[in-house]
Amino acid sequence: MISGTSQRPVRLGLLGCGTVGGGVVKLLTDNAKYLGMRVGAPLEIARVLVRDEKKERVPELDRKLVTTDPELVLGDDTIDVIVETMGGLEPAREWVERAIENKRSVVTANKALLAAHGPDLVERAHAAGIDLAFEGSVGGGIPIIRTLREAFASDWVRSLTGIVNGTCNFVLTRMNEAGATFDEAVKEAQNKGYAEADPELDVGGHDAAHKLVVLAMLAFGARTDSKSVPTEGIRAIEPIDHRLAKRFGYVIKHLAVGRDAGEQIELRVHPALIAQSTPLANVSGVLNAIALEGAALGPCMLSGRGAGDMPTAVSVVADVLDVARALRSGVPGLMTRGIQMQVRKVVPIDELRSRYFLRFNVENKPGVLARIALALGDAGVTVEQMVQEEAPSGVHVVMTTHQAVEKELRKALVAIAAQTFVVRPTQVIRVV
Ligand code: NAP
Ligand code: HSE
C-alpha cells in the first residue's frame, strides 16, 4: 500500500483503452507533472488491458504495457487503482468486484454496470474500505456526481431534469438544425466517439435510463434499477415533429426526469417538447445539461460536453486524482461512505400528469376532427393549441393539450386508433 510520505508512484491498472481509456492515457501523459504534484506522488500507468493487442491506440500509450491477459492487471498486487473503461456488464462486474475484494479502489465510467449493480458495488466498496468513483458515468465532463455527492449533501434534491445522452442530443440537433437524416446523424455521432459500442443503447433511451438510475442513487438515495424506469428513445421522432414543435414555440429534446414524490420517486426517460425560451432548450449537439431543484438552494443547472474521449477523461482522471490522494493520505473510502440508499418505488407512468403534443395523420373528411375532440373530451383531455396541414396522405391534425392523466389520454388514443379514418399511428410526445 501507499504510505503517507512515500514518493512511490500510485500505480494504475487500466481495463480498456478505447475512446474513453485512450483519453485517460492522453490526459495522464499530457498533465503528468501537474497531476503528480496534486497527488504528491506520480501517477503511473502500470498495465493496460484490451481485447486486441494489434489495434491502433493513442500515440501516448506505451505499447509495452498493453496486455490481453486480465491476470496481469487484476492479479498484480502492486497495482493500487483499477480504472475500468471497458463497458458492458460482464466481465466488467466480475473484475470490478474482484478489484474491490482485493482492496483496490476503482474508478469507472460504466453507467450500465452501475445501473445494474451500483448499490451492491457501493456496499462492497464500503465494506472493503476503498473508493468506488464514477464521475465519468454521467454527463461526460460535467461534475454532476461530485455536485450531488458533495455540494448537495446539505440540501434535499426535489427534482432533476437532464439532457444526459450526448448521442441523442447530437442526433436531434443535427436533424432539427441541419436537416440530417436519423441514420446520417447516428453515423456522425459514432465517428465522433459519442455513441456506445451498441448505439441502440443511446437512441433507444437505455443509456439515459442507466444514467438516471445513477443520478437517483445520489439525488434521492434511491436503490432502483433501469428496468423500473419508463424509457422511450428517439427513433420515432420525425423531421415533421421538429418543424411543428418549432411552430408551437418548442424544441424536442431527449430528457431524463426524476422527482422526489415523497414515499415514491418519479423517474422517466423520453423525448419531450420544451419551450424555446428555457435554458435546456438551448443545450445543443453533444452538450449535456442537468437542471436540479434543491429545496433550499432552488434551481441550479450544470452544462458541458456530455460524451467523447477528452471530456469523459477529465472526469475519470479527476476521480483517479481523488482516489489516489485518499490512498496517500491513508483515508480511502470516504467518497463512497457518504452514499446512502434505500429501495424507492417508482411512480407508474400511467399516473403521470403532463401536457402532450399529439400529431394525428387522418383522412381529410367531415366529422373527423369532431370525433377526435370527442374521444379526447371523454377522457378529460382539453386542447391548448391546434393546427392542421396537408400530409402525403390525408392531413396532419396537430395539437398540444392542457395537463392530462397519462392513463386517460392513452384510453382516448386507443379509441381513436380504432377509427377507420386514421391513416398512420398517432405521434405522442410529452410537453414539459
Ligand atoms: P470503446 O471505445 O468500445 O472501448 C472499450 C475498450 O475496452 C476497448 O479498448 C476494448 O478493447 C476494451 N474491452 C472491452 N471488452 C473487453 C474485454 N472483455 N477484455 C478486455 N478488454 C475489453 O468504449 P468507450 O466509448 O471508450 O466506452 C467505455 C466505457 O465508458 C463504457 O462503459 C461507456 O458507457 C463509458 N462512457 C463512454 C463515453 C463516450 O463518450 N464514449 C462517455 C462516458 C462513459 P479493444 O480496443 O481491443 O476492442
Ligand atoms: N454514449 C453516451 C452518450 C456516452 O452519447 O451520452 C456518454 O456517456
Side-chain angles (χ1 to χ4, degrees), residues 242-259:
H242 288 290
R243 186 169 56 73
L244 289 164
K246 206 178 285 176
R247 189 163 166 184
F248 285 147
Y250 295 95
V251 288
I252 300 177
K253 294 288 176 192
H254 189 251
L255 296 184
V257 181
R259 196 172 65 83

Side-chain angles (χ1 to χ4, degrees), residues 113-277:
L113 176 69
L114 292 163
H117 303 291
D120 180 51
L121 293 175
V122 165
E123 277 159 18
R124 283 171 188 263
H126 188 172
I130 53 92
D131 283 306
L132 174 72
F134 45 90
E135 186 64 72
S137 66
V138 183
I142 305 174
I144 181 64
I145 301 295
R146 263 179 191 71
T147 299
L148 287 172
R149 204 187 54 230
E150 295 170 16
F152 270 82
S154 58
D155 201 0
W156 166 45
V157 179
R158 281 198 166 130
S159 68
L160 63 90
T161 308
I163 294 173
V164 294
N165 185 270
T167 301
C168 281
N169 205 37
F170 180 83
V171 169
L172 290 174
T173 305
R174 295 291 293 159
M175 287 176 74
N176 187 24
E177 292 176 8
T181 66
F182 181 85
D183 288 342
E184 283 165 356
V186 171
K187 192 92 218 133
E188 227 181 308
Q190 284 179 297
N191 290 341
K192 287 178 180 288
Y194 303 155
E196 296 299 302
D198 173 7
E200 187 51 37
L201 283 173
D202 297 293
V203 297
H206 313 290
D207 177 75
H210 294 156
K211 290 166 175 165
L212 184 58
V213 168
V214 176
L215 291 176
M217 193 160 94
L218 296 162
F220 310 123
R223 192 185 178 112
T224 178
D225 62 48
S226 47
K227 285 197 269 320
S228 39
V229 178
T231 301
E232 291 169 28
I234 57 167
R235 267 190 193 285
I237 306 297
E238 297 180 31
I240 186 175
D241 298 314
H242 288 290
R243 186 169 56 73
L244 289 164
K246 206 178 285 176
R247 189 163 166 184
F248 285 147
Y250 295 95
V251 288
I252 300 177
K253 294 288 176 192
H254 189 251
L255 296 184
V257 181
R259 196 172 65 83
D260 197 323
E263 285 293 294
Q264 304 187 16
I265 47 170
E266 198 180 296
L267 297 178
R268 52 198 163 89
V269 164
H270 53 76
L273 266 71
I274 56 179
Q276 276 166 2
S277 56

Side-chain angles (χ1 to χ4, degrees), residues 305-327:
R305 282 163 71 194
D309 54 356
M310 296 323 290
T312 312
V314 166
S315 288
V316 173
V317 175
D319 274 349
V320 169
L321 211 78
D322 274 354
V323 161
R325 267 199 300 238
L327 284 172

Side-chain angles (χ1 to χ4, degrees), residues 10 28 52 78 132 154 181 280 323 425:
V10 178
L28 286 169
D52 176 358
T78 70
L132 174 72
S154 58
T181 66
L280 278 180
V323 161

